[in-house]
Amino acid sequence: MKTNLACTKRISTLLSLIFFGLATISHCPIVFAQCPSSTPPSINPPNSIVRVQILSVKPNSDMEGDDDYIPFYDNHADIFGEVTIDAQVFNLPEIEDSDFPHWDDIFEKQVASSPVKITIKIFEDDYGLTGDNDVVDVNPSPESDVLDLEFDLCALVLRLGSNEFSTQGVVEINAGSGDSQATIRLKVETADGRPVTSDDLAIVEADLVQVLFHSPKLISGKPTILLVRIANNYSTSITTNVHVAISGGGLNKNDVFPVTIGSGEVKKEYFYLNNPFRFPESASSYAVALLVRLDDLNNQNLPTGDCKRLNDGNNNRLIWKTVHTPRRYSLMWTKVGTLLDGFNFASDGQLQENIDLGGAFIHGVYPLSFPNNYKAPFDVMPPLTAAVDFLTTILSVFGIPADNVLPFALAFELNGVANITGCERLMGVLPNKDWFSRFSYGFFDDVTGLSLGEFAPRAVIFLPEHDDGTDVGPCMTLPAHELGHTFGLSTDPRLKDSWVCQVDWPILGSAACGIVGGFDEYKSTTFPNGNPSDGFWISQGNEPTAIAGLLNQEQCGSFCLMAGSPVNAHLNWAGKKRWIDAADYDQLIKKLQKGPDPEVIYVSGIISWDDKLLLGSIQHIGRGIADRDTSYGAYAIRFFDRAGKLLKEVGIPVYWSSPDFSARPRPVTFFGLNVVYPENARLLQVINRMSAKVLGSINISAQKPAIKLQGLSKSTIARAVVSS
């Protein structure tokens, strides 16, 4: 991220801006991509409008030397570029503070002849200590860092020197392994989808689809279908055969599908929709290859290299994707509350409705194959006294009333309960639709759910139903939204309008961004409805009948689930649909893919702005998923052996934000993390790395306790019983 003088000066004024208001910036309108299109039969000749879309750029480093000189500071890339189509230059908008930017912009140009020259230049905006803008190398040739491409409008291939890429799929080009080199993914096609030919059939697009179109990553065990678009440039309807070959990970499919296409039509077909297939699980990721070709009988006697034969798929250009095996995630759904609720929990019907609707949506849109959605055998009312007393003392100075700390304390304590039960996430359904409205000064009036983010990720809370003023009912996408915050969503920096969100604060981390709602897309003034998204909702099996009409359909014209969660969306899906954008989906795959399970220890606590520490539950249970294993952060958890030798350090950024709560800053950092337990560790410390001050410490044992949950018969409180 840029660290120019203006931004440096802003650091000193951050706290006053937090309390007295934050400046915002605006962005230019963006034209977004939509679902793969089809066109009806037409007697018009093919047009020659070329369309180019840069899907993503992934540099091998953050390309920011600034953070090498600032302790505990992790800067990120600011990527922008130029796309030239037939001598007309288009600007690829800058995406700041992202090491893996994604775009939806489409650039179009009317052209007169083939091949069409396309040039792509990518840069990293650098106003910091390292000086001028850096060139991002996207060309595998050592002699150039710019892509000089030629698009053959007849063969539908993209040429880079002697290399050819089929435009039937996404074109992915890896420049190399150097720090300034990157992998670029792009889509090139004609605007109407047809090659500029006559008397010809062509495959325009082929894509293996699970959730999103054009995703380079697939999930094992998740239902998969095949999208194929076929263009007919004959003057009559044509019946042909589509030959499909899919191979990888032990799965091999060879099928033939008859298709009839009208004259001048670009036809979109979904194959395997009535019988989706699943890729096998594996201990590591693996590649799969897709080959689709047509029988174009009138052109089969043309020379092998003729462009009309190449666009039939006879060029043997494989479309490659990578299959990842996700973890087996368990989501425990339970009624939750506090003593003030007087045991008036949500009803059994409300809990089940949220499991049915929310669980089905999560299963459909998340990169998980078999998430275990189950109802807890108990309701949860955890003791909150210690957390409430600590938070009340700290936050009262900042004008946050005592009762307003309860939602934070509840979410914090539920993290510990979740870890003891062994579920990956506790999905807490609150007592009633007015639960947040009861707190003083209306600070929570617009809140429907609460998460403590990715540093205390194991539990979320949300309303059983919501009254938006015109309708009352459950919010089907709300559980997926709150769950997304625990994985660091939303990731798209374009939606975080405040300049505060555009700075990686050396001490404050992501605090200020969260305070102005920077993680919730619906709080963006640029895109108040959230990030546009599209995809396909494939039935995963066993969905409730209430959403049967939403399944096995394109989700075009949707917005990302990290936008607001509409009431009764399942009853008016056309006007309230939510899906997920590509950047957030990539983040989820990264977080959820299967990996080795080390021995972990759960460490939780609350750190105030003035270095007071409330150390919460410490649970040394056994092997599990490490929530965090990096040293970046102003605070740190440190482990020492019996002799005082430092064994391991895990960083925790200052995190004053709550993704769903922006009425007041809460200058405390919650954490509740499973971290790798180093062998022979006997002492745990929490420190402020900026001042080297030890905030607290506790002796730990290598012995793992036996843990069970006991539901009390005369109440609905769940207690953890621990015996060494």
Side-chain angles (χ1 to χ4, degrees), residues 31-214:
V31 177
F32 290 103
Q34 294 295 324
C35 291
S37 62
S38 58
T39 58
S42 170
I43 61 173
N44 296 321
N47 68 36
S48 51
I49 297 176
V50 171
R51 174 180 289 174
V52 178
Q53 181 185 4
I54 308 298
L55 298 173
S56 66
V57 173
K58 182 70 172 71
N60 296 325
S61 72
D62 62 21
M63 301 193 67
E64 296 280 8
D66 307 29
D67 52 4
D68 297 337
Y69 308 102
I70 304 176
F72 325 129
Y73 178 38
D74 186 17
N75 208 347
H76 298 286
D78 313 301
I79 304 295
F80 69 101
E82 291 181 359
V83 176
T84 304
I85 306 173
D86 193 29
Q88 182 172 342
V89 179
F90 302 87
N91 292 321
L92 182 67
E94 181 171 332
I95 296 184
E96 300 181 343
D97 199 28
S98 175
D99 297 334
F100 192 9
H102 294 66
W103 290 267
D104 300 286
D105 307 66
I106 291 176
F107 308 109
E108 293 184 343
K109 172 69 164 60
Q110 179 91 38
V111 297
S113 61
S114 177
V116 179
K117 185 174 181 180
I118 300 171
T119 301
I120 299 173
K121 301 177 181 179
I122 304 296
F123 305 95
E124 200 280 324
D125 198 346
D126 195 347
Y127 289 101
L129 302 177
T130 51
D132 296 332
N133 295 337
D134 299 317
V135 175
V136 180
D137 185 356
V138 289
N139 192 329
S141 170
E143 299 179 358
S144 176
D145 45 34
V146 173
L147 286 179
D148 287 312
L149 306 165
E150 288 187 344
F151 180 34
D152 189 321
L153 299 179
C154 174
L156 299 184
V157 296
L158 204 60
R159 297 187 178 96
L160 175 63
S162 60
N163 298 307
E164 281 191 353
F165 303 90
S166 171
T167 60
Q168 294 168 0
V170 171
V171 175
E172 181 173 305
I173 300 174
N174 186 342
S177 58
D179 285 351
S180 64
Q181 294 178 307
T183 298
I184 186 171
R185 301 181 70 247
L186 61 146
K187 194 84 177 72
V188 180
E189 60 184 355
T190 59
D192 68 353
R194 293 190 285 166
V196 182
T197 59
S198 60
D199 296 332
D200 181 33
L201 288 178
I203 295 176
V204 177
E205 181 175 10
D207 191 18
L208 293 170
V209 179
Q210 292 180 333
V211 175
L212 296 180
F213 304 111
H214 309 144

Side-chain angles (χ1 to χ4, degrees), residues 177-376:
S177 58
D179 285 351
S180 64
Q181 294 178 307
T183 298
I184 186 171
R185 301 181 70 247
L186 61 146
K187 194 84 177 72
V188 180
E189 60 184 355
T190 59
D192 68 353
R194 293 190 285 166
V196 182
T197 59
S198 60
D199 296 332
D200 181 33
L201 288 178
I203 295 176
V204 177
E205 181 175 10
D207 191 18
L208 293 170
V209 179
Q210 292 180 333
V211 175
L212 296 180
F213 304 111
H214 309 144
S215 175
K217 299 173 183 178
L218 299 171
I219 299 301
S220 65
K222 198 166 185 71
T224 308
I225 60 175
L226 172 64
L227 161 69
V228 177
R229 286 197 297 149
I230 307 163
N232 177 11
N233 282 348
Y234 285 97
S235 59
T236 61
S237 294
I238 298 290
T239 298
T240 185
N241 290 319
V242 179
H243 299 261
V244 176
I246 304 169
S247 179
L251 181 141
N252 290 283
K253 299 185 74 65
N254 288 278
D255 296 299
V256 179
F257 301 94
V259 176
T260 299
I261 315 152
S263 173
E265 180 184 11
V266 177
K267 189 166 190 175
K268 178 168 53 177
E269 290 279 358
Y270 286 101
F271 300 120
Y272 306 106
L273 185 56
N274 295 325
N275 187 25
F277 60 92
R278 303 172 190 256
F279 288 100
E281 292 189 0
S282 175
S284 58
S285 61
Y286 59 88
V288 295
L290 167 66
L291 179 63
V292 180
R293 63 179 181 84
L294 288 173
D295 288 337
D296 190 354
L297 300 180
N298 293 327
N299 291 330
Q300 65 180 356
N301 295 322
L302 293 173
T304 303
D306 188 279
C307 64
K308 290 186 180 182
R309 292 198 63 184
L310 292 178
N311 66 31
D312 296 337
N314 290 309
N315 53 5
N316 292 320
R317 298 295 178 189
L318 300 176
I319 297 172
W320 292 94
K321 297 208 176 194
T322 305
V323 175
H324 299 260
T325 296
R327 295 182 179 275
R328 293 298 182 99
Y329 256 69
S330 59
L331 306 178
M332 184 178 76
W333 301 68
T334 184
K335 306 173 194 177
V336 299
T338 70
L339 285 174
L340 289 178
D341 298 308
F343 303 103
N344 294 315
F345 290 100
S347 69
D348 291 341
Q350 288 174 325
L351 175 62
Q352 190 61 53
E353 187 173 41
N354 275 274
I355 295 174
D356 290 344
L357 296 176
F361 183 70
I362 290 169
H363 196 176
V365 76
Y366 269 60
L368 293 168
S369 51
F370 301 102
N372 180 19
N373 288 290
Y374 68 97
K375 181 163 55 177

Side-chain angles (χ1 to χ4, degrees), residues 352-541:
Q352 190 61 53
E353 187 173 41
N354 275 274
I355 295 174
D356 290 344
L357 296 176
F361 183 70
I362 290 169
H363 196 176
V365 76
Y366 269 60
L368 293 168
S369 51
F370 301 102
N372 180 19
N373 288 290
Y374 68 97
K375 181 163 55 177
F378 46 78
D379 306 327
V380 182
M381 186 183 292
L384 305 179
T385 305
V388 167
D389 288 349
F390 180 83
L391 290 170
T392 300
T393 301
I394 299 300
L395 299 181
S396 60
V397 178
F398 296 92
I400 297 180
D403 65 335
N404 277 230
V405 306
L406 276 175
F408 300 111
L410 177 60
F412 173 70
E413 294 293 353
L414 288 175
N415 272 265
V417 174
N419 202 66
I420 291 174
T421 65
C423 68
E424 274 68 45
R425 295 293 188 269
L426 186 154
M427 311 296 288
V429 180
L430 292 165
N432 54 65
K433 63 182 176 62
D434 300 316
W435 194 83
F436 283 112
S437 302
R438 72 186 187 188
F439 297 107
S440 302
Y441 298 104
F443 289 165
F444 284 92
D445 281 356
D446 296 327
V447 175
T448 55
L450 187 69
S451 162
L452 297 181
E454 58 183 320
F455 303 113
R458 306 191 76 81
V460 299
I461 57 177
F462 48 87
L463 299 177
E465 59 181 11
H466 180 50
D467 182 351
D468 65 3
T470 60
D471 199 4
V472 180
C475 302
M476 180 175 70
T477 65
L478 179 58
H481 173 106
E482 296 303 333
L483 186 63
H485 286 312
T486 72
F487 297 109
L489 307 187
S490 172
T491 63
D492 190 342
R494 292 175 297 181
L495 300 167
K496 301 170 184 179
D497 297 327
S498 171
W499 65 264
V500 178
C501 292
Q502 310 301 322
V503 178
D504 287 311
W505 301 98
I507 299 176
L508 293 170
S510 59
C513 185
I515 288 169
V516 294
F519 299 100
D520 277 318
E521 294 186 4
Y522 62 89
K523 293 180 181 176
S524 164
T525 57
T526 309
F527 306 116
N529 293 321
N531 213 357
S533 61
D534 53 58
F536 203 99
W537 192 344
I538 304 172
S539 173
Q540 311 292 303

